[in-house]
Amino acid sequence: MADDTYTPPKVWTWDKGSGGRFANINRPIAGATHEKELPVGEHPLQLYSLGTPNGVKVTIMLEELLAEGHEGAEYDAWLINIGEGDQFGSGYVELNPNSKIPVMFDMTTETRVFESGSILLYLAEKFGAFLPAKHNKRTEALNWLFWQMGSAPYLGGGFGHFYAYAPEKFEYPINRFAMEVKRQLDVLDRNLADREFMAGDEYSIADMAIWPWYGALVKGLVYDAGEFLQVQEYMNVIRWTDQLAKREPVKRGRMVNRTFGDPASQLRERHDASDFDTKTQDKLEGASSK
C-alpha cells in the first residue's frame, strides 16, 4: 500500500480548498446564498437553465412541441450562470431547492417543475406528445427516461469529474467509471441494434433525455475522451445520434442558453422564435465576410 493512501477521518469536514473545476460552487449545505429575484417573461412557460446536457433535454422538448403546433409551449429561456452562482439566488432556490439546472415554472397552472426528467414528463403529459399512448410502449419510454436519470451521474459526476475535472488523476476512480460508462454505451448500442428509437418505433422523451449526454459522448464532444473510450465502437448509438441531430427542433434546442463553442451556435436567452432567425442571419453574414 502506498504511503500517500488516504485514510478518511472519523468525522468529515468541509475543506474549501479541495480544488477541481467546480470547487468554487460546491458546498455541503443547501439554501440561498444571496437575494435575487428571477426575471419573468410573457410566455406561459418560464425556463431557467444553461445549455448543458440536462438543460438541452428540455429546450429540445419545447422546440419539438412548438414544431408540432402546441402554442401553449411558448417559453422564455433565461440564462442561469452556474459558474457565478446564479442557482443559489433566493428566487431560484424558491423554484428549485436543489439549486441545479434546469427549473421551469408553468404560469398557467402556477406549478414549479425541477429535475430535467420530471420536466420532460410534465410537458409530455401536459401536451399529450412524445410519450406513447399504449401502456406497454409508454412504460418502455419511461424505463429509458429513468435509466438516463440514474445513469448520467456515473458519466458526468463520475467519469467526467475524475477524468477531466479533478485536480489530480487517479487510476482507480478513472478505471472504475470508464468501465461503467462503456457498459452503459453497450447497453444503448444493444438496445438500438433493432430499434429506430430508444423505446421502439416512436421518437419520445426518452430519446430527448439520452441524446444530449450520450450522443455528445459518442461524437467525441465531451471530456475530450472519445479516443480513450473508443466511442467509434458503438455504431448503433452513432447512427441514432446522427439521426436525431438532423431534426430542426433538436438543432434549435441545443442552441438555447448555450455559452460555449462557436458563437454562431449560441443563443444565450430565447424569448421568441425569431431569436433563431437573428442567429442564422449573423451566421450568414459572418460566412459572407470571409
Side-chain angles (χ1 to χ4, degrees):
M1 184 176 292
D3 293 337
D4 59 353
T5 299
Y6 172 67
T7 301
K10 289 184 178 181
V11 177
W12 181 85
T13 57
W14 182 23
D15 180 3
K16 294 184 180 181
S18 60
R21 179 172 174 178
F22 301 104
N24 64 316
I25 61 172
N26 291 333
R27 58 198 182 110
I29 55 175
T33 61
H34 58 283
E35 292 293 322
K36 185 178 181 180
E37 293 185 4
L38 289 174
V40 178
E42 63 181 24
H43 294 308
L45 301 174
Q46 299 296 301
L47 180 69
Y48 304 92
S49 189
L50 182 66
T52 65
N54 285 335
V56 169
K57 296 177 194 177
V58 177
T59 49
I60 287 176
M61 175 60 163
L62 290 166
E63 291 299 326
E64 292 281 8
L65 288 168
L66 291 170
E68 282 208 341
H70 296 281
E71 294 181 1
E74 270 293 354
Y75 69 105
D76 290 281
W78 303 93
L79 180 65
I80 297 297
N81 191 327
I82 62 174
E84 295 181 2
D86 290 349
Q87 70 275 30
F88 299 119
S90 57
Y92 195 92
V93 173
E94 185 177 350
L95 290 187
N96 186 354
N98 196 38
S99 292
K100 303 291 184 180
I101 64 98
V103 68
M104 186 182 75
F105 189 76
D106 186 342
M107 305 283 285
T108 62
T109 60
E110 296 187 352
T111 303
R112 73 176 186 182
V113 197
F114 59 89
E115 290 296 320
S116 56
S118 180
I119 297 173
L120 290 178
L121 183 55
Y122 179 89
L123 291 170
E125 292 183 333
K126 178 181 178 73
F127 294 102
F130 301 110
L131 187 61
K134 282 191 175 182
H135 178 72
N136 60 339
K137 291 187 175 183
R138 171 189 168 89
T139 301
E140 182 68 359
L142 294 180
N143 287 341
W144 286 108
L145 172 64
F146 293 125
W147 176 89
Q148 189 280 322
M149 295 297 291
S151 297
Y154 289 97
L155 170 55
F159 175 76
H161 175 77
F162 287 105
Y163 183 81
Y165 300 144
E168 297 178 74
K169 299 289 191 290
F170 293 99
E171 182 179 7
Y172 176 79
I174 290 175
N175 283 347
R176 168 67 181 87
F177 289 111
M179 177 174 63
E180 173 60 14
V181 168
K182 286 186 70 67
R183 188 193 71 80
Q184 292 176 5
L185 286 171
D186 195 41
V187 168
L188 294 175
D189 205 61
R190 290 169 185 265
N191 182 64
L192 289 165
D194 54 4
R195 290 179 169 188
E196 183 177 5
F197 301 110
M198 286 306 307
D201 58 356
E202 294 185 52
Y203 176 55
S204 73
I205 55 175
D207 300 284
M208 298 177 203
I210 295 169
W211 184 83
W213 279 102
Y214 295 90
L217 184 66
V218 295
K219 300 300 286 188
L221 301 177
V222 291
Y223 309 129
D224 195 24
E227 181 179 5
F228 181 75
L229 295 172
Q230 291 293 281
V231 294
Q232 75 278 359
E233 298 174 353
Y234 306 101
M235 295 303 298
N236 298 315
V237 183
I238 292 172
R239 183 272 308 163
W240 166 84
T241 295
D242 290 343
Q243 181 179 349
L244 265 62
K246 294 176 182 178
R247 298 178 66 90
E248 290 302 320
V250 171
K251 294 177 184 179
R252 293 193 296 272
R254 72 186 305 187
M255 291 175 62
V256 178
N257 296 144
R258 187 179 177 92
T259 61
F260 54 90
D262 181 359
S265 71
Q266 300 176 26
L267 186 63
R268 295 173 69 88
E269 290 192 353
R270 187 268 192 211
H271 301 289
D272 188 82
S274 62
D275 294 339
F276 293 105
D277 298 333
T278 302
K279 293 302 295 185
T280 300
Q281 186 60 36
D282 289 346
K283 189 173 184 179
L284 290 173
E285 290 176 355
S288 65
S289 64
K290 292 181 180 179

